[in-house]
Structures are given as structure tokens and as C-alpha cells.
Amino acid sequence: MNTQPYDGFTWRQVVHGVWQRDVDEAEEAYSSLIRHYSGSGRMHFAITGHITLTVPTDDTESPAETAAYFDESVRAAWLRLRYENPTIASCVYVDPYLGRWQKRYETVPDEATQEAWLERTFQTVCNGQTGAEWANSDPPAPKEATLFVVKPPSGISFGEEGVVRRDLVLRSPHDVIDGIGTLQLFDNLISLVLRAVAQGPEYNPPTLDSSETSRLSPPFRVAANVPPALTPNQQRRLVEMQQAKEPTASDGVLDIGIPYHQGPLVPGKHQRVARTISPERASQLLNAVKSFGATVTHAFHAAIAMAIRNVHAEVSDPTSDAVVVRYTNYILRNERPRCSFPFHTPRHAAAVYHSVSGGKLAVEMTASPSPNQLEEFTRILIRMRDYYHSVRDDADHHALAPAIWTSITPQVPLPTGDSEGPLPIPPPNPKPSVSLSSMGVVDRIISPERGGISAYNPWVTGEELGTGLGLFLGSFRGELCLSAAFNEAWHTREEVDDFLGRCERIVFAWVDGLAQYGGYLGRYGPGSSVVYRSAAPIYLRR
């Protein structure tokens, strides 16, 4: 019997200057997905994080001097960030001697090696694009986390004059960092930039002398004190969850997905589109959902289900006899609040500390939009609220999370050497869905203003190489941002933007409908119908 089941998760120096540990199930899931899609030449779910920073200029120096000094401060801060969050410089690979995935960190033995790491992982982009534009231009997906500092054309700012603007874009494998961790990392970086700016020429980044290895992050199992084995009751729950995910074609309900352009078999460029919602409208939505004990996330996830149904109704075969359709998906749970000190803090931003819901999120609807969409939306909102709360309040979920990760990890052959050929590209999913990742109130993670540095437009996506859509929701400076990641092989920007618009119209038709009836719904709502008015559909029959 192994009396130390987590011994392999301890960081150890395997040879001089090289530290290594086993990966856990969450990290292995993302490593396996990267391997699964390696034949495409792209990195599945590669993290793209974005934030804009501005600093004011003054009469004591020219704008060019301010810009040059700010750029040097960001570079110094990136080096300091590695010292304080060293796991950002780690990578996952298959150890040929152990024959399994390992997370690896290499120390910096001398200044030349340190400079070489900076040259690889801190890169400047100055090609006339903004950071968001560059992120949509098929940027590289390095095997180690890399910070790209994009210099937009002069004069482009967020309504400010006399400022220097830099757009920071982080590109990283998802087995190194996740979405919330990326936002935390940006906040850590801003603090370090501010320190470098304040100290001026006297600022000296610390020496990477291997002492930073004491701050390497453990995997989720260790950070959250997950028991090494499931209890008999937890094992039964896991079996029940898996059984509930089995196809139920005999129940007479048609499972639906988002339409896509059929034909291409190889993923193309990952793309992102976004829509912003004003603070006033965001406040109205927040007040509306509060009366149902729901959140803005619940409301938009309800809208996603209805929008898919509406699109399906417009493009489906008119002779179809389907009466009830079903939207199926999952949700992600941020596990950082459940990690022990100090792993729940931004000191361990570069980690994969989230989980996937085990039970299937399924919403059934009539095949055609209901004549009373106010009532229909409210019913689905409550369904979403109850499902999210069931995952949030599940005391066993953190223990079940590793097994859930294992259940969705693709079985792929491990690499055996540099001469090995690429794996076959997975075929397109014929019935793709639309997921939603909520970043919450990002101001609680990243300070909008700090010591003269202003932050704008923070967002995160995962590289989408499938036929589905990955939606992201978050608020910053009072504005809501609803964005979508998609692959241009199967969707166009116009179609995806139209889908986001549908979701927004569905949500705010409900908000306005509640206001019209004074917020009173009885069970769900009044007998009168509220019809969503939408633009002519862009999705055409495939």
C-alpha cells in the first residue's frame, strides 16, 4: 500500500537545474488535447489573454521617452514575475524514461541563459495592429508561456489623450495556466510594472538563482487537499453521472447543436468577436436576475440555449416532426476558493485550478419558439440557476473533479521521439454545442486604476479548433463583455456576431418585459406574450 499517494506531485530536482513533478488529471486533460490536435499544426485550447495598459505623459520627458521607459519597465516586470510566479516558465512533456506526462521547470544558471529566456518569451509586436487585431491574425502558440507587447498605432486609446498605450497578449499552453489564473497573472504583472516605474533606474530585478523553485505551484489535487481515493458513495455518484451522459435517443427529444459550414476537415484560424453592454443596461439586467436569485451568467446561458433553438428552428427541415429539442452542455467551476493557503491566492496564478461539471446540463424546449417567450426564458433561467447552484453547493465535487477530468480526456498515444509523425486530426463534431465561461466581475481581480497605470479590456479565450463556439462573459469598469471564440473553418465572423446579438436581444427583451409588468410574474409571467424581435437570420440552411 502506498502510504504517500501524492509523493509524485512533489517538485523534485531530477538533475542539476531541472525540477519535475507528475501532472494531475486536469493538466493531463489539456496536454492530451494538445497532443490530440497536434496533426493540425495548432494548439487546442491555447490560452490567449489580453489587457491594455496606458500611462500618462508629462512635460518632463517626451512621449517617446515615456514609451521607452515603460517598455523597459514591462520587460523588467516580466522577469520579476518569473521569480515570483515561477510556474509560468514551466512546461508539460512526456518523460521518455518514466513514460508519462511530467511538468518541468528549468532554472537559469547564468545571465546569458536568462537573457535567452527573455528573448524567447518577451516579444514586441509593432505592425500597425492593436492587440485584439493581432490576436485574431493567427499568432504563434509557443510551447512556453510568452508575453507579446503590442504597440498600437499612435493616437489609439480609450478616450485618453497624452498617454502611452501598450496591449499585452499572453499566449500559453492551457496545461500551464487557466483563464482566471491569466487575469490574476496580469494583475501581478501590473503591480510589478508599477514597482519598476516607481523605482526608476534604481530598480533591479531579482536574480533567478533557483530559490524561486520554492514557489512552484502544485497540481489541483495537492492545492485543494483532494482525497487520494473516492468513498463508495462518491464512486456510485460518478457511475450515475456517466450513465446520465449516455445518449437518450429513445426519449423522443431531439438533441440540437449550432449549425456550421460542413466540408472542411482541418481547423483554420481561431477567431474572437465581442460585444459590449453599457453599464446602464448591465445594471438593469443585474437587478432583474437578483429577484430570481440568479446571476448574469445564468441569464446569458439561458439565452444561449434559446438562441441555438431559434437558429435550429430557422434552418431545420420543415418536414421534421420534432416537438421537443434539447440543448446540452457543461459548466466550469473555479476551484481556487477551495484551495488551501497560499494556493488560493494570486501567488499561484500559473496553475490549472478549475473543474468541469460532472452531471449533464440539459435544457429541453419546444422545437419552435414559445408564443410567451417571457415565461419560457424565466423557466430556462431557473433551470440554469438550479443547475449552477447544484454544482456550486456540491460538497463532493472537488473530490470527484479528477475522475471527471479523466472521463473526458482523449486517449492518445504518447510521443515516442522527435521523428514521430503527426497524429490524425480528429473529425469535426457533427453536433457541436455552445459553452459559456464566466470570468465574473474582473475588477475584483484586476484593478482598473493603480498608481497612474490604467487598465482596459481584459479578456481571455481558449484556442477553438472544433466546430462549436466558446462564449466568455465578464464585466470590467461597469461594462459587460460577451465574446465568442470560434474557428473560421466552420463559422464566419458575421454569423458568430449575429449569434451573440441574438443572445443579447433575448436577455434584454426579458429584462424589458419584466419592467413592463413591474417584475411580477406569478409563477413565471403574465399571460401576455413578449416576442423577441431579431434581425433577419444570417445562418442559412447548410
Side-chain angles (χ1 to χ4, degrees), residues 246-255 326:
E246 296 299 320
T248 53
S250 60
D251 63 4
V253 179
L254 178 64
D255 287 294
R326 179 167 48 221

Side-chain angles (χ1 to χ4, degrees), residues 98-116:
L98 297 176
R100 62 178 184 266
W101 295 106
Q102 294 281 286
K103 183 158 277 192
R104 178 186 182 101
Y105 177 82
E106 297 186 22
T107 59
V108 176
D110 50 47
E111 188 172 340
T113 306
Q114 175 177 292
E115 189 64 26

Side-chain angles (χ1 to χ4, degrees), residues 115-186:
E115 189 64 26
W117 177 78
L118 277 170
E119 288 295 321
R120 292 195 312 273
T121 68
F122 186 89
Q123 299 188 22
T124 300
V125 178
C126 187
N127 62 0
Q129 292 181 307
T130 65
E133 291 168 342
W134 183 78
N136 270 344
S137 64
D138 206 18
K143 293 183 179 180
E144 53 188 338
T146 301
L147 186 70
F148 296 89
V149 180
V150 182
K151 300 180 179 181
S154 59
I156 298 180
S157 63
F158 288 81
E160 297 178 289
E161 294 182 0
V163 299
V164 171
R165 168 180 167 174
R166 294 294 181 260
D167 294 350
L168 308 185
V169 179
L170 178 74
R171 293 280 283 168
S172 171
H174 209 327
D175 52 18
V176 171
I177 194 168
D178 59 17
I180 295 296
T182 298
L183 298 177
Q184 290 181 334
L185 197 80
F186 277 148

Side-chain angles (χ1 to χ4, degrees), residues 181-518:
T182 298
L183 298 177
Q184 290 181 334
L185 197 80
F186 277 148
D187 191 64
N188 292 345
L189 183 66
I190 294 170
S191 296
L192 298 175
V193 171
L194 186 61
R195 187 188 307 179
V197 170
Q199 294 183 10
E202 299 178 359
Y203 180 75
N204 289 313
T207 301
L208 293 171
D209 56 3
S210 80
S211 64
E212 75 276 8
T213 57
S214 65
R215 291 181 290 278
L216 288 167
S217 300
F220 168 68
R221 271 190 176 272
V222 174
N225 297 310
V226 176
L230 297 176
T231 66
N233 183 58
Q234 290 168 344
Q235 290 174 347
R236 285 192 295 271
R237 284 198 58 199
L238 187 65
V239 171
E240 291 169 357
M241 287 178 180
Q242 298 307 315
Q243 291 174 341
K245 291 181 180 180
E246 296 299 320
T248 53
S250 60
D251 63 4
V253 179
L254 178 64
D255 287 294
I256 57 174
I258 191 75
Y260 67 97
H261 293 275
Q262 299 185 25
L265 300 178
V266 178
K269 287 192 300 183
H270 158 90
Q271 295 285 280
R272 174 184 181 268
V273 295
R275 300 172 74 96
T276 56
I277 297 165
S278 70
E280 179 185 9
R281 289 298 265 168
S283 178
Q284 293 171 355
L285 171 58
L286 182 60
N287 290 333
V289 296
K290 277 184 176 179
S291 62
F292 292 89
T295 68
V296 171
T297 300
H298 304 156
F300 274 98
H301 213 155
I304 288 170
M306 291 180 64
I308 291 178
R309 187 275 314 277
N310 295 350
V311 170
H312 183 268
E314 293 166 2
V315 304
S316 62
D317 187 342
T319 64
S320 172
D321 56 0
V323 176
V324 179
V325 296
R326 179 167 48 221
Y327 162 79
T328 304
N329 210 256
Y330 62 90
I331 63 173
L332 299 176
R333 188 173 96 160
N334 175 24
E335 297 292 347
R336 281 175 167 77
R338 295 156 190 87
C339 293
S340 59
F341 181 84
F343 309 120
H344 70 286
T345 71
R347 288 160 59 182
H348 290 272
V352 185
Y353 291 164
H354 67 274
S355 62
V356 181
S357 58
K360 181 169 65 175
L361 168 59
V363 176
E364 295 183 1
M365 302 159 282
T366 57
S368 299
S370 167
N372 189 337
Q373 294 187 29
L374 182 65
E375 177 181 343
E376 182 180 44
F377 182 90
T378 305
R379 176 182 64 80
I380 297 173
L381 172 68
I382 291 171
R383 167 73 180 119
M384 290 293 181
R385 178 201 68 189
D386 292 347
Y387 182 83
Y388 271 79
H389 286 181
S390 72
V391 176
R392 180 198 66 186
D393 300 336
D394 185 353
D396 287 332
H397 181 77
H398 79 293
L400 294 168
I404 296 170
W405 277 116
T406 297
S407 71
I408 61 174
T409 299
Q411 300 301 306
V412 295
L414 298 180
T416 56
D418 294 337
S419 61
E420 181 184 56
L423 294 180
I425 302 171
N429 180 359
K431 193 169 288 184
S433 191
V434 179
S435 63
L436 178 64
S437 297
S438 177
M439 301 291 105
V441 181
V442 179
D443 309 66
R444 296 173 181 170
I445 304 174
I446 299 174
S447 298
E449 302 285 343
R450 186 183 305 165
I453 298 178
S454 300
Y456 300 92
N457 200 20
W459 53 261
V460 184
T461 67
E463 191 102 346
E464 182 58 68
L465 299 184
T467 51
L469 306 181
L471 268 59
F472 296 81
L473 182 68
S475 68
F476 193 67
R477 293 181 176 268
E479 286 187 338
L480 270 177
C481 179
L482 179 67
S483 62
F486 66 97
N487 195 278
E488 67 173 15
W490 295 291
H491 300 279
T492 69
R493 172 175 293 271
E494 292 75 19
E495 290 170 343
V496 178
D497 185 63
D498 175 73
F499 184 82
L500 295 182
R502 288 172 181 265
C503 294
E504 182 180 346
R505 289 191 294 272
I506 288 171
V507 166
F508 285 100
W510 176 77
V511 171
D512 295 339
L514 285 184
Q516 178 182 348
Y517 294 104

